[in-house]
């Protein structure tokens, strides 16, 4: 039995209606609610709409400037690593 590809179905992620024949493209490329693995490989699944924010702010794998960059330090560190405390051992943040 062949079903019509133009019948409207709901996306299981965002609940928006889409033609059945276009649902795969919506889920694979467009749907903002689809959970994707963090691009920085922290192991977290993040909704597509929040990937940018997660990668810049929330991800423990985010690379940041040394807190003393304004004073001339060019070192970059991963937030979750112990390197920041090793790099700036006497600093209190």
């Amino acid at each position: 039995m062949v079903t019509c590809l133009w019948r409207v179905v709901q996306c299981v992620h965002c609940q928006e209606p889409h033609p059945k024949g276009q649902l795969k493209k919506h889920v694979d490329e467009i749907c903002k609610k689809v959970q994707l693995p963090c691009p920085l490989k922290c192991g977290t699944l993040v909704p597509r709409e929040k990937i940018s924010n997660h990668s810049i702010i929330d991800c423990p794998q985010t690379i940041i400037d040394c807190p003393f960059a304004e004073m001339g330090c060019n070192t970059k560190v991963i937030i979750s690593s112990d390197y920041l405390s090793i790099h700036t051992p006497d600093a209190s943040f």
Side-chain angles (χ1 to χ4, degrees):
M1 177 177 176
V2 177
T3 58
C4 177
L5 295 177
W6 291 103
R7 79 183 159 94
V8 177
V9 295
Q10 277 189 329
C11 172
V12 297
H13 304 283
C14 69
Q15 309 309 316
E16 292 179 10
H18 295 278
K20 173 82 171 149
Q22 297 178 349
L23 188 60
K24 181 173 176 13
K25 179 177 178 148
H26 166 74
V27 170
D28 290 349
E29 301 174 18
I30 301 167
C31 183
K32 295 176 183 180
K33 303 293 182 187
V34 169
Q35 300 278 319
L36 301 171
C38 169
L40 300 176
K41 302 184 182 355
C42 75
T44 303
L45 290 175
V46 185
R48 181 179 276 127
E49 67 186 346
K50 295 183 179 180
I51 287 281
S52 179
N53 189 54
H54 173 79
S55 298
I56 296 169
I57 298 170
D58 299 327
C59 181
Q61 293 296 98
T62 298
I63 297 173
I64 61 169
D65 291 329
C66 170
F68 300 106
E70 290 183 12
M71 292 180 233
C73 183
N74 295 321
T75 302
K76 307 263 186 215
V77 295
I78 296 174
I79 289 177
S80 66
S81 73
D82 290 331
Y83 187 73
L84 184 58
S85 60
I86 294 168
H87 177 68
T88 57
D90 297 328
S92 57
F93 301 106

